[in-house]
Amino acid sequence: MFLFLVVALAVVVAAVTLAVVGGGESGPLPDSAPDRLRDSLPLDRPVSRADVDGLRIPLAARGYRMADVDDALSRLGAELAERDARIADLESALAGARAVAAHIALDKPAARQEGDQP
């Protein structure tokens, strides 16, 4: 039994040594290219919900690549700031239009009453 274990251990050590040192015909495995952000956010139009849902940031050794995350968050932050400014402009224009409409509505009854009385 002891002799069988020694022979089995020698075979395993030899196989591992050949696999590590020999490497076959092609040699050691080539280094793989690092993952990069392929699903970038569109540059020619505003970012939509589907773009954010489809965004996949590649994994790195300790989580996500900081540069890819920073780029995505920077773009989303710029889009949100632009939309907030647009919403503020539209709300301001709406408030001005409502004020003008209220002023016109208040002036019309007064003009009718003055025109009715001779």
Side-chain angles (χ1 to χ4, degrees):
M1 181 69 170
F2 178 73
L3 183 61
F4 176 73
L5 290 175
V6 170
V7 171
L9 181 64
V11 169
V12 169
V13 168
V16 169
T17 303
L18 285 175
V20 170
V21 174
E25 293 177 13
S26 64
L29 294 175
D31 291 334
S32 63
D35 287 340
R36 299 303 297 164
L37 184 61
R38 291 187 196 127
D39 299 328
S40 61
L41 299 173
L43 299 174
D44 58 341
R45 61 179 172 80
V47 177
S48 68
R49 172 67 188 247
D51 295 327
V52 175
D53 288 342
L55 181 66
R56 296 293 176 256
I57 298 174
L59 292 174
R62 291 188 226 163
Y64 294 101
R65 294 181 163 280
M66 289 184 355
D68 291 338
V69 174
D70 289 344
D71 290 344
L73 290 177
S74 174
R75 175 66 195 276
L76 290 173
E79 289 280 337
L80 289 174
E82 183 179 324
R83 288 181 185 177
D84 288 345
R86 179 75 174 142
I87 289 170
D89 289 344
L90 292 173
E91 286 177 346
S92 174
L94 180 62
R98 284 182 178 165
V100 168
H103 180 68
I104 290 174
L106 289 176
D107 286 347
K108 282 186 179 180
R112 280 189 219 156
Q113 289 175 357
E114 290 174 6
D116 291 339
Q117 297 173 357

